[in-house]
Amino acid sequence: MKLRLVIALLAASLCGSAPALAQLSPSTSGFSTAPTSANDEEYFYMLRQLGPCLASNKRDRAIAFLDAPIDSPQEAAAFDALFGDTTNRCMQNFVSATLVRAWVRGVVAEGLFKDTMRDWPESTVPAIEEPESIASIHDFARCYVARDFAAARGLIEETRLGDKSELARMRELAPTFGPCMPQGSQIALKPINIRMALAEALYHATRNPGAARLPGQSD
């Protein structure tokens, strides 16, 4: 894959990237008795709060969701367990919303990862192996976290989902993505999907602090 193509893709605007089907409670407007449609900014604000809320209030279910294989019946069941209650305060003022399951995995992983980092040994990085081949965005993310844990961590901890800070950091990191990209193919990568995959890779990489090592330390 040509690096210049990656950079061009990352320069694309985030506008219009949120699912269209999202409605806010009428209490947010103060005028109408009917739910109002949410815009991109409101949708991404909800997503930013959703992950930490689920990680805190439904921790066991959140972990089970991320432990389930992607696109499996187990994942579907775990997803339903997260959102199967009549009310879910983590949705805040949203009475309904189209939730992309991969995005929910990402924000939940981000919430759990940030919790882990509070107790993570200082100046250590996870000891993980790079995937033998790159066949998916999750392979890319695992490869990148293995190669540059600090850069991936900085993206998650220092930028906000769906805003200009995220896009600016993606542009900075794009030249370093090459070694973890499949060669000879063209892939359309969106910043939000990259962030979500990196968040999940970071979460899985740091679940076992005992596997941490100092930078430059060999296994």
Side-chain angles (χ1 to χ4, degrees):
M1 184 177 186
K2 296 181 179 179
L3 191 56
R4 60 180 177 82
L5 175 61
V6 177
I7 297 173
L9 288 168
L10 292 179
S13 170
L14 291 176
C15 293
S17 57
L21 300 179
Q23 292 186 317
L24 291 164
S25 164
S27 64
T28 60
S29 66
F31 296 99
S32 174
T33 57
T36 59
S37 296
N39 58 34
D40 278 12
E41 183 178 352
E42 291 166 330
Y43 184 86
F44 280 116
Y45 177 81
M46 181 271 289
L47 278 184
R48 287 195 292 267
Q49 309 307 311
L50 181 64
C53 181
L54 291 173
S56 176
N57 293 288
K58 296 188 176 185
R59 189 174 186 85
D60 290 343
R61 295 184 186 185
I63 291 173
F65 175 53
L66 291 179
D67 282 346
I70 295 171
D71 294 331
S72 68
Q74 294 91 335
E75 183 196 52
F79 182 83
D80 289 342
L82 276 177
F83 296 98
D85 298 335
T86 304
T87 59
N88 189 328
R89 65 178 180 173
C90 292
M91 294 291 292
Q92 301 185 55
N93 290 324
F94 279 70
V95 294
S96 65
T98 299
L99 293 173
V100 180
R101 198 180 295 172
W103 293 4
V104 176
R105 287 185 74 102
V107 295
V108 169
E110 185 167 330
L112 291 169
F113 168 71
K114 288 178 178 178
D115 282 348
T116 298
M117 286 296 96
R118 294 187 179 97
D119 299 319
W120 186 255
E122 187 176 356
S123 301
T124 58
V125 297
I128 59 174
E129 296 182 1
E130 296 180 32
E132 294 182 0
S133 60
I134 308 297
S136 71
I137 193 169
H138 292 283
D139 293 335
F140 155 78
R142 181 181 167 191
C143 171
Y144 194 78
V145 168
R147 283 175 169 264
D148 200 336
F149 174 76
R153 177 182 180 181
L155 170 69
I156 298 303
E157 293 188 333
E158 298 167 11
T159 72
R160 296 201 315 164
L161 168 65
D163 73 4
K164 293 180 179 179
S165 67
E166 177 185 70
L167 185 57
R169 184 64 63 87
M170 289 285 184
R171 287 172 172 165
E172 293 176 4
L173 296 181
T176 67
F177 288 166
C180 291
M181 290 292 184
Q183 301 300 310
S185 60
Q186 294 184 349
I187 301 175
L189 295 176
K190 293 182 179 180
I192 187 171
N193 293 333
I194 294 174
R195 182 194 187 94
M196 298 306 189
L198 286 174
E200 187 166 352
L202 285 165
Y203 162 71
H204 287 300
T206 53
R207 287 192 68 180
N208 179 17
R213 55 180 169 76
L214 293 172
Q217 178 183 348
S218 60
D219 297 333

